[in-house]
Amino acid sequence: MDSLASFRAQYPFALDDYQVAACEHVAAGRGVLVAAPTGAGKTVVGEFAVFLALQSGRKCFYTTPIKALSNQKYHDLVDRHGEAAVGLLTGDTSVNGEAPVVVMTTEVLRNMIYAGSPTLANLGYVVMDEVHYLADRFRGAVWEEVIISLAESVQLVALSATVSNAEEFGDWLSEVRGGVEVVVTERRPVPLYQHVMVGRRLVELFGGDDVNPELLRLAREESRGQRDDSRRPRGRSGNGRRTSAYGSGRYGGAAARERQDASRHLVPRRDATVERLAAEGLLPAIYFIFSRQGCDTAVGQLANSGLRLTTPAERRALAEIAARHTAGLSPSDLAALEYDRFLAAFCDGIAAHHAGLLPAFKEAVEEGFTGGLVKVVFATETLALGINMPARSVVLEKLVKYNGETHADITAGEYTQLTGRAGRRGIDVEGHAVVSWQPGLDPRALAGLASRRTYPLRSSFQPTYNMAVNLVATVGRERARGLLEQSFAQFQSDRGVVGLAHTIAANRSRAAREWAQAACEAGDAAAYFRLRARISAVEAEAARERRADRRAETIEALRALRPGDIIDIPARRHRGWAVVVDPGLGGDGPTPSVLTPDRQVKRLTALDFPVPPVVAGRIKVPKHFDLRSAASRRNLGAALLSRIEHGPLEAPAAEADADADVMARVAGLRLELKAHPVHRCPDREVHARSAEAALRLERDADAAQRQVERRTNTIAVRFDRVCSVLESLGYLSADGGQQVTGLGRMLARIYSELDLVTAEAVRDGVFDGLSAPQLAAVLSSLVYEARGDRRAPARMPDRRSEDAQLRLRAIWRQVSLSERDHRLPSHDEPDIGFAEAIHGWTAGAELSDVLYLSGLTAGDFVRWARQVVDAAGQLADAAGPGPLRDTCRELVFRVRRGVVDAAPLED
């Protein structure tokens, strides 16, 4: 019996045709890319690679994007092959790491390759599960680093969600790895049925081959009596009052507010939706709500409605699961986490699942749901990207979500990924996707969304400082550059150049015809109209430079503000005097919070200042000033009012005039223009129409040409710039960056977005002499990213850590200037929003205190605390033996307690 036949005999069901085809490629020694819908069973192909490795005496690494997925796959493989044959490596967890089969996060494999780990010896297969993660903006580059850097002898098995450009991705894999076959299927093993929940009724989306006529009738009735433009979203340029954009309006976006009353009876209640699903036998269900608070609120609503979805036996089993997962938490921690409320809903079969949930709670929910005990989980979209939690039904409350900048329609790819959880292979004969009716919903638009099943995979790859020193240390500068030119990002860029070349040629040809039309008997029309365009360009460039200079000066002035500074705000919406209460130095540039004399708190940006702000005076802001306290605001507002009334405050000076040199240059060009013979042509403006068309076409062609130049060798050019920064700072040798220096070897151990800033801080001694809590506070600013506005001004916990933070910020500015000089984008400024909370936790504070201090959910607190632990571990390795390493290890020991140490394999 051959290998594949032996493998197939282990399964109680017959493999699908696509699974057999992919396994045959692997058995023949070829790499394979398998693109299939969620739940289609593509992991079988990865498990076949594991089987072959064990049979042939070679190693297999099974990589996943997140720790939770690694943990789940580890247990699956242990159940099949036994503990002795399977290991697990997730950065901070190591179980049987030298086993023939090791499950790991992709970052662990990347680090092993750079370190030349002996564990790589005899590696025959690498399975990359969820390989479409390479499109992730923050972590996607790791997948490409691994694919490019793996030894040629290693067979690659890449498992991906269904993407529309699988063939393109496969072509790249073949080019880089050689002999990679592509196997694509769009067939779901469990058919998916689409519904719309309208009031208390579950209505099918499709009726025959078209949209259900009943839904179309409901949409017409809802819109009857509305103005013609009421279905369209309003913006700044629309008629009537301004409202913020909320999607396109096709899925119940901007029009929702205007028709809320008219169609309130059509919008289903959450408890009614769950009751209907239960009555129809469609539980368990994942109920997607694109808001953490919305998920928690929904759990409360169902709990308060008296809905109980479990039997007494199921409640006892769920209570045991919850007790087991929270066994390591103290009574005070459980009280701070409102465990009783979680447990009551959990035992009723109702739970939330989102990034803000405590990892121990999240693990309990996952076990309860996959065991069929939890009947409904209210989840954010992150669940669709995480571990294997299939359901019989998936509910989408809205088809509009906040993407970090605005409320936008979900894409066809997102819809496919979310609804892909519906239908459990081997359990359900069909899956069900349910969309809740919202005012303004267009059933035809929803049908179009449900019919498009794929989305393109786009590379997010960019060279980083850490990547550069590791590659140069491993293969040398020139070979590193060549490897990066093999990235999927460069592959996609090069393919796009062909279309741009056609555009350039067409525009140049059309421009030539327009210039022929613009010809003038009086003189050279092309020279005349180019001169006229040049005048406009000089004036526009001067205006841009003035605006840029003013903005840069404004940002620097805002960055220099301190609590207690009194400034005049010229912008109309906040006009008047105000006192700074928080400089707002974290995140994307300075965003100071100020208090006005009428005790209003405003968050400002550079856009509020057409000219740089000037500090006109100062008053004392109490050290523990609390924005949430009405008394604090009242007292400070009174002090500001008194200062305004009794002290001379000077408003900023008026804006300076335009650059005299530029004005003189423009005047000279205008004289030259008037002296040109075409200027006196009576048909000059007739010629101008053709000339302006020609100039526009030339500009378009030039822009396309610049795109071509940017796309050609873009990754290698960026790598050269990164290396130039490293060479200038001494991380690469001065002979063209051919060698990695001692500093570079230290940087090679730091994996973070602010890797170079961290290394420079080590070099400058910023962390030396800090206590463990102080070091945690300073390190947190290098990893933490705030979500939305803070409840209170962020500050460092004490003078020593504040001094270190000021030095760190100065280093960030120096690195940013070096990046600007080498034409590289700078990274976000260090964010101190987590500093006080992690300082308190490291010093031994109770969970309730740090949660109150930070304003974070328990899940967010744990995630950021673990990021600080990871950063401290990297810093300990980078710093080498000495007091700093000792402090880092003390920090790790102090932070890893209670909730931070519970459920360590949850990401």
Side-chain angles (χ1 to χ4, degrees):
M1 184 182 290
D2 65 16
S3 298
L4 182 52
S6 301
F7 175 72
R8 293 170 73 172
Q10 297 180 359
Y11 288 86
F13 54 85
L15 299 189
D16 293 339
D17 291 345
Y18 90 91
Q19 292 170 322
V20 173
C23 289
E24 286 174 345
H25 290 311
V26 178
R30 293 186 289 270
V32 66
L33 166 66
V34 184
T38 301
K42 53 184 173 284
T43 54
V44 165
V45 185
E47 288 168 9
F48 181 56
V50 171
F51 175 83
L52 287 179
L54 291 171
Q55 195 178 60
S56 63
R58 303 183 73 190
K59 287 185 179 180
C60 177
F61 289 171
Y62 197 114
T63 72
T64 71
I66 56 176
K67 292 178 185 177
L69 199 53
S70 292
N71 189 34
Q72 187 177 59
K73 198 66 203 176
Y74 168 71
H75 289 296
D76 290 346
L77 293 175
V78 165
D79 290 343
R80 184 174 290 274
H81 302 292
E83 285 187 359
V86 185
L88 175 67
L89 295 173
T90 60
D92 54 0
T93 301
S94 177
V95 179
N96 198 14
E98 295 299 325
V101 176
V102 184
V103 183
M104 61 184 68
T105 51
T106 318
E107 281 88 351
V108 169
L109 178 53
R110 186 268 314 271
N111 298 353
M112 288 169 68
I113 292 170
Y114 283 157
S117 170
T119 305
L120 295 168
N122 198 32
L123 179 62
Y125 303 88
V126 166
V127 180
M128 301 192 80
D129 203 354
E130 309 280 353
V131 75
H132 52 273
Y133 256 75
L134 68 77
D136 183 84
R137 187 162 65 94
F138 299 106
R139 298 172 58 206
V142 177
W143 274 255
E144 292 191 50
E145 286 181 79
V146 169
I147 291 168
I148 292 168
S149 304
L150 271 176
E152 291 180 12
S153 59
V154 176
Q155 226 174 304
L156 183 70
V157 177
L159 309 178
S160 170
T162 309
V163 292
S164 54
N165 60 335
E167 286 77 12
E168 179 190 37
F169 186 43
D171 288 347
W172 171 69
L173 288 173
S174 282
E175 189 172 291
V176 174
R177 304 291 313 162
V180 174
E181 303 294 335
V182 179
V183 177
V184 178
T185 181
E186 294 195 29
R187 176 184 168 275
R188 286 176 51 95
V190 179
L192 181 67
Y193 292 88
Q194 310 274 349
H195 312 269
V196 179
M197 187 72 188
V198 185
R200 289 182 171 272
R201 295 185 303 127
L202 199 59
V203 181
E204 292 192 11
L205 174 59
F206 294 101
D209 295 330
D210 201 0
V211 180
N212 191 330
E214 184 179 358
L215 293 174
L216 297 174
R217 177 182 60 78
L218 287 170
R220 282 196 301 273
E221 288 178 357
E222 182 195 66
S223 63
R224 194 169 293 150
Q226 300 293 320
R227 297 198 318 271
D228 288 343
D229 67 343
S230 68
R231 292 185 75 89
R232 303 189 190 99
R234 294 273 177 83
R236 191 181 295 277
S237 58
N239 296 321
R241 66 185 179 84
R242 183 186 185 280
T243 62
S244 59
Y246 196 81
S248 67
R250 296 177 298 166
Y251 307 131
R257 296 181 186 88
E258 303 200 14
R259 288 205 297 281
Q260 193 75 47
D261 294 334
S263 58
R264 187 181 297 276
H265 65 289
L266 299 179
V267 179
R269 289 171 51 91
R270 290 164 177 164
D271 55 351
T273 299
V274 174
E275 284 179 346
R276 172 54 58 192
L277 293 176
E280 298 281 349
L282 299 183
L283 296 178
I286 300 172
Y287 200 126
F288 284 109
I289 300 175
F290 301 130
S291 152
R292 297 178 183 184
Q293 186 176 358
C295 291
D296 294 337
T297 301
V299 170
Q301 288 171 340
L302 261 67
N304 293 335
S305 73
L307 193 62
R308 181 170 280 187
L309 303 173
T310 49
T311 65
E314 287 173 331
R315 283 195 285 278
R316 286 194 297 272
L318 286 167
E320 185 276 326
I321 289 171
R324 179 160 34 86
H325 283 284
T326 57
L329 302 180
S330 67
S332 63
D333 285 350
L334 292 174
L337 296 165
E338 298 183 325
Y339 173 67
D340 290 344
R341 183 183 298 181
F342 165 82
L343 183 63
F346 184 66
C347 289
D348 286 340
I350 303 161
H353 189 289
H354 54 72
L357 197 66
L358 186 75
F361 288 9
K362 206 188 297 184
E363 274 193 355
V365 172
E366 289 162 3
E367 183 179 337
F369 192 80
T370 52
L373 301 171
V374 172
K375 309 301 182 183
V376 60
V377 167
F378 292 95
T380 56
E381 70 272 23
T382 53
L383 177 62
L385 303 172
I387 69 160
N388 181 27
M389 274 180 65
R392 182 165 296 165
S393 303
V394 164
V395 181
L396 278 72
E397 184 166 79
K398 292 181 180 178
L399 298 176
V400 179
K401 69 170 188 173
Y402 188 69
N403 62 12
E405 296 176 357
T406 185
H407 287 91
D409 300 338
I410 69 169
T411 65
E414 289 168 331
Y415 185 87
T416 300
Q417 204 155 29
L418 294 166
T419 57
R421 292 284 176 192
R424 298 165 296 175
R425 186 170 191 169
I427 302 174
D428 302 319
V429 295
E430 57 191 35
H432 297 267
V434 180
V435 173
S436 296
W437 182 276
Q438 296 294 331
L441 180 70
D442 180 350
R444 288 198 182 279
L446 172 57
L449 191 69
S451 301
R452 296 196 306 276
R453 302 213 175 276
T454 56
Y455 56 100
L457 189 62
R458 297 279 176 246
S459 173
S460 60
F461 184 82
Q462 290 289 359
T464 65
Y465 296 114
N466 172 278
M467 186 194 304
V469 292
N470 273 300
L471 281 173
V472 172
T474 307
V475 298
R477 172 76 179 265
E478 287 311 309
R479 183 148 194 288
R481 194 178 193 274
L483 281 174
L484 294 181
E485 286 181 322
Q486 297 176 30
S487 68
F488 187 43
Q490 189 61 60
F491 186 82
Q492 289 188 310
S493 289
D494 291 345
R495 286 200 164 187
V497 165
V498 177
L500 286 171
H502 289 307
T503 301
I504 292 166
N507 283 349
R508 300 271 189 226
S509 177
R510 288 173 58 198
R513 290 195 294 273
E514 293 289 355
W515 280 124
Q517 289 287 327
C520 176
E521 295 178 357
D524 186 346
Y528 174 79
F529 288 111
R530 288 189 196 281
L531 180 60
R532 197 156 88 167
R534 188 177 162 204
I535 293 170
S536 298
V538 169
E539 290 176 327
E541 179 62 25
R544 274 195 301 272
E545 287 180 359
R546 285 199 301 276
R547 285 195 299 271
D549 288 345
R550 282 200 304 273
R551 179 173 172 76
E553 291 168 8
T554 298
I555 289 172
E556 281 305 311
L558 289 176
R559 198 168 271 138
L561 293 176
R562 293 291 176 265
D565 288 345
I566 300 174
I567 57 174
D568 181 51
I569 308 170
R572 185 174 301 168
R573 63 188 181 129
H574 302 318
R575 184 184 296 277
W577 295 107
V579 59
V580 176
V581 292
D582 175 19
L585 294 177
D588 300 328
T591 54
S593 291
V594 299
L595 184 78
T596 63
D598 59 355
R599 304 193 294 280
Q600 295 293 312
V601 177
K602 308 291 184 185
R603 174 82 70 172
L604 306 177
T605 70
L607 298 176
D608 292 306
F609 296 91
V611 295
V614 174
V615 177
R618 281 188 59 79
I619 57 175
K620 184 174 177 57
V621 175
K623 183 176 180 182
H624 298 292
F625 175 77
D626 186 356
L627 280 175
R628 294 166 294 176
S629 164
S632 294
R633 294 196 303 272
R634 182 171 61 250
N635 293 338
L636 188 61
L640 174 62
L641 202 57
S642 173
R643 181 70 175 82
I644 293 169
E645 290 172 352
H646 297 99
L649 297 174
E650 296 182 6
E655 183 183 349
D657 291 333
D659 192 309
D661 290 341
V662 174
M663 293 178 68
R665 186 178 167 201
V666 169
L669 291 172
R670 289 194 181 282
L671 288 174
E672 187 180 340
L673 187 74
K674 289 178 181 178
H676 198 286
V678 175
H679 191 72
R680 294 181 292 279
C681 175
D683 297 323
R684 182 184 68 193
E685 294 310 308
V686 176
H687 302 318
R689 283 195 289 274
S690 294
E692 286 165 3
L695 288 165
R696 186 169 57 253
L697 288 163
E698 287 182 346
R699 284 195 298 271
D700 290 345
D702 290 342
Q705 183 63 47
R706 286 193 294 273
Q707 271 188 281
V708 168
E709 290 166 0
R710 282 199 301 271
R711 289 187 176 189
T712 305
N713 299 323
T714 48
I715 302 299
V717 168
R718 176 155 178 159
F719 174 71
D720 289 339
R721 292 173 181 170
V722 165
C723 288
S724 294
V725 171
L726 293 172
E727 193 178 343
S728 70
L729 294 173
Y731 291 86
L732 293 178
S733 58
D735 56 355
Q738 300 300 316
Q739 304 290 326
V740 175
T741 65
L743 285 171
R745 286 189 288 276
M746 180 260 289
L747 172 60
R749 294 182 175 91
I750 300 171
Y751 299 92
S752 72
E753 195 167 343
L754 290 172
D755 47 10
L756 185 55
V757 173
T758 307
E760 284 288 274
V762 174
R763 176 190 198 175
D764 199 46
V766 170
F767 307 121
D768 295 347
L770 295 176
S771 66
Q774 290 167 342
L775 179 60
V778 178
L779 272 184
S780 73
S781 71
L782 294 166
V783 297
Y784 178 70
E785 295 174 15
R787 293 180 78 244
D789 283 349
R790 298 189 179 92
R791 292 193 320 185
R795 65 180 83 230
M796 296 302 291
D798 56 31
R799 178 59 61 86
R800 181 71 181 84
S801 61
E802 185 174 5
D803 290 343
Q805 184 61 35
L806 289 172
R807 290 173 64 189
L808 187 68
R809 199 175 297 280
I811 287 170
W812 171 82
R813 279 197 289 271
Q814 288 301 315
V815 170
S816 296
L817 288 172
S818 183
E819 288 170 330
R820 187 192 67 185
D821 292 343
H822 291 89
R823 291 182 292 167
L824 285 169
S826 61
H827 293 86
D828 288 342
E829 206 169 350
D831 189 327
I832 63 173
F834 191 54
E836 284 190 295
I838 194 62
H839 179 276
W841 180 256
T842 313
E846 291 290 324
L847 178 64
S848 56
D849 294 334
V850 295
L851 291 182
Y852 175 78
L853 191 64
S854 65
L856 294 172
T857 63
D860 283 334
F861 170 76
V862 169
R863 189 169 73 259
W864 291 120
R866 289 178 178 175
Q867 294 251 17
V868 172
V869 166
D870 286 346
Q874 293 172 21
L875 186 60
D877 288 343
L884 179 55
R885 172 179 283 187
D886 296 340
T887 307
C888 287
R889 289 176 173 171
E890 181 189 351
L891 182 162
V892 170
F893 175 77
R894 284 169 171 253
V895 174
R896 275 187 176 162
R897 62 182 175 92
V899 292
V900 178
D901 204 33
L905 290 173
E906 270 288 340
D907 234 355

